[in-house]
Amino acid sequence: MPPTASIHGQWTTRLAFILAATGSAVGLGNIWRFPYIAGENGGGAFVLVYLGCILLIGLPVMIAEIMLGRRGRQSPINTMTSLSREEGVSTGWASIGWIGVVTGFLILSFYSVVAGWALSYIFKSGAGGFVGLDASGSEAMFDGMLASPEALLAWHTIFMVMVGIVVARGVQSGLEKAVTILMPLLFVMLLVMVGYAVVQGNFAEGLAFMLAPDFSELSANAVLLAMGQAFFTLSLGMGAIMIYGSYLQSDASIPRTAGVVVGADTLVAIVAGLAIFPIVLGAGLSPGEGPGLIFVTLPLAFGEMPGGLIFGTVFFILLSFAAWTSAISIAEPAVAWLVETVGMTRVAATTVLAIAAWTLGIAALLSLNVWSDYTLFDMGVLDFLDYLTANILLPLGGFLIAVFAGWRMTRGSVSAELAMRSPALFGLWYFLVRFVAPVAILLVFLRAVELI
Ligand code: TRP
């Protein structure tokens, strides 16, 4: 029998959970990753497939993941073991938790490197580095940063320490409050950027690029990337949302809560796109620029707009903050497991995980410069880690979560935990989680490896 409360604590209110889960979801995935992946894959059609994945796979899997966490009330590994026992099925389903821990470790390593870019840009902006910048100057600034292993290492280290400090102290204290203030502020800053893009950028073309679908541009691999992005941006498939769910009160409505988180996350991604593409196209840059897209584009806007020095600095502070609240959730499942099962203190568990991810992060950051010739499947270490986790491991985790909730638990258990008032909505979710999500994930996988 799973415990009735988590030993790690509980969110004080349903709102606290919403903020924490939104803090987890909204991060580099929305503002850095979404625009550059959408840009590389032709825009409109990609965005439409992404939105479809959010609605038909992301939302039902998020409901399932929170539900499993709240019912198990432990780290994902132990939650899945207890729930399997409770349902009388193989405890091999604990592999959902194991895969999640490994995936989280891999994500944390490169996420911290990219978050380091955002930290570094706070100071570039603050020192007036964006003033009078043109497109090629902005590209040179970004490339210059990537060319310096020392600088990348310093920022990566600082970010990992920031993550470690919060995780070691426990998720609730401090973070809950910070998220309340900083997330809305980030959203307002994005709206300021959209305002700038409307006035100064090529808004019509940017809008068309992002929203007008051209399906001839859409490869099978792009569909895989859109699905991977949906998992990555919603923090799904590795137990981060599951463990946040394990700290949620029993009487909070899971579907409504998940709806708010998914809605907020999607809104931020779309608004980020609306801010970025008009500026990219207005400045004659390519939307297919790659991972440097926002770091090359936004400084152009900040360099020109009145008050840009302050806006730019504040923007990158907020972006770093968004990355911080996300990275914490990536670490939490592994740390909770080390505390529960290995018997480590939170501080020791956090230290072990942070050092391991920091070390792998060094390989990721070296792949941007001195190791740029070494590739796996044509990708450097950083790109490979990103591709493997977002497009393969997270959807795999999501698939297993959907199958477990839809097919291994009894209908009675899931409906008791979700306690939805509308039988029709429950039926809809159950159908999505049993059939639509697993089949869609499977089809996208098979198509990507050209088996269908
Ligand atoms: N969703 C976050 C973002 O968009 C990143 C993130 C946090 C994440 N926790 C996760 C991604 C768990 C995958 C799994 O930046």
Side-chain angles (χ1 to χ4, degrees):
M1 264 297 178
T4 49
S6 169
I7 62 164
H8 310 286
Q10 194 168 342
W11 305 115
T12 44
T13 58
R14 183 178 87 108
L15 182 64
F17 170 83
I18 291 184
L19 293 168
T22 307
S24 165
V26 175
L28 296 171
N30 306 62
I31 294 164
W32 160 70
R33 202 174 187 280
F34 170 71
Y36 105 72
I37 304 253
E40 280 185 338
N41 289 283
F46 176 92
V47 174
L48 213 62
V49 176
Y50 158 80
L51 291 174
C53 290
I54 293 276
L55 219 58
L56 295 178
I57 305 174
L59 184 58
V61 170
M62 181 174 288
I63 293 171
E65 197 173 325
I66 300 172
M67 183 271 291
L68 296 179
R70 188 169 73 181
R71 199 167 175 81
R73 293 269 184 226
Q74 298 153 82
S75 68
I77 294 173
N78 291 330
T79 281
M80 290 313 301
T81 309
S82 310
L83 293 183
S84 304
R85 292 217 176 95
E86 189 181 47
E87 300 292 333
V89 299
S90 158
T91 51
W93 287 96
S95 55
I96 292 177
W98 288 107
I99 297 171
V101 166
V102 173
T103 308
F105 155 69
L106 299 177
I107 294 177
L108 187 58
S109 69
F110 76 83
Y111 201 84
S112 171
V113 172
V114 178
W117 303 353
L119 285 176
S120 151
Y121 267 60
I122 297 173
F123 295 88
K124 291 196 198 313
S125 175
F130 300 164
V131 180
L133 214 57
D134 61 7
S136 65
S138 188
E139 278 174 326
M141 178 185 278
F142 181 70
D143 293 341
M145 178 180 70
L146 296 195
S148 163
E150 295 83 8
L152 294 176
L153 177 62
W155 294 117
H156 165 52
T157 308
I158 291 170
F159 185 79
M160 197 63 91
V161 170
M162 287 166 53
V163 174
I165 289 173
V166 177
V167 176
R169 301 181 76 186
V171 172
Q172 289 92 332
S173 53
L175 202 76
E176 239 182 66
K177 287 185 211 93
V179 173
T180 328
I181 306 164
L182 293 167
M183 286 298 137
L185 212 58
L186 178 68
F187 192 71
V188 171
M189 284 297 300
L190 279 171
L191 291 180
V192 170
M193 299 301 298
V194 176
Y196 174 86
V198 172
V199 179
Q200 293 290 330
N202 192 335
F203 198 73
E205 219 185 299
L207 199 67
F209 178 79
M210 203 169 106
L211 299 178
D214 173 1
F215 284 96
S216 65
E217 289 271 313
L218 201 72
S219 63
N221 195 51
V223 175
L224 179 70
L225 298 181
M227 181 174 77
Q229 173 60 20
F231 275 96
F232 190 90
T233 192
L234 295 177
S235 305
L236 288 180
M238 61 139 296
I241 289 295
M242 196 186 293
I243 194 137
Y244 275 19
S246 77
Y247 307 148
L248 179 65
Q249 297 90 321
S250 308
D251 57 356
S253 158
I254 293 177
R256 259 191 288 156
T257 310
V260 173
V261 175
V262 169
D265 185 80
T266 307
L267 194 63
V268 173
I270 296 297
V271 170
L274 289 179
I276 286 159
F277 290 118
I279 303 173
V280 170
L281 297 167
L285 290 162
S286 156
E289 176 89 24
L293 187 64
I294 67 157
F295 292 94
V296 171
T297 308
L298 295 181
L300 294 177
F302 292 128
E304 254 183 37
M305 68 169 77
L309 196 140
I310 293 176
F311 278 139
T313 312
V314 170
F315 178 85
F316 283 106
I317 291 175
L318 294 171
L319 180 61
S320 304
F321 213 92
W324 198 16
T325 57
S326 297
I328 286 159
S329 73
I330 304 174
E332 184 64 15
V335 169
W337 180 76
L338 289 170
V339 171
E340 280 167 14
T341 303
V342 184
M344 288 183 168
T345 61
R346 258 193 102 82
V347 175
T350 307
T351 308
V352 168
L353 180 71
I355 289 178
W358 176 79
T359 309
L360 183 60
I362 294 176
L365 71 87
L366 289 176
S367 74
L368 301 169
N369 36 69
V370 289
W371 288 359
S372 58
D373 289 341
Y374 298 104
T375 56
L376 292 142
F377 301 97
D378 258 353
M379 290 174 265
V381 177
L382 193 151
D383 293 346
F384 176 74
L385 288 171
D386 175 302
Y387 191 95
L388 173 71
T389 52
N391 303 320
I392 298 168
L393 294 174
L394 296 176
L396 174 66
F399 174 82
L400 295 173
I401 286 169
V403 171
F404 186 84
W407 297 93
R408 303 318 288 154
M409 289 175 81
T410 62
R411 188 182 171 116
S413 307
V414 285
S415 75
E417 191 62 42
L418 288 179
M420 289 169 71
R421 261 183 253 128
S422 153
L425 280 183
F426 175 79
L428 175 64
W429 169 78
Y430 205 47
F431 176 72
L432 289 172
V433 97
R434 276 164 75 92
F435 299 100
V436 177
V439 170
I441 295 169
L442 213 60
L443 288 179
V444 176
F445 273 160
L446 291 176
R447 182 91 183 85
V449 293
E450 290 174 359
L451 281 175
I452 53 170

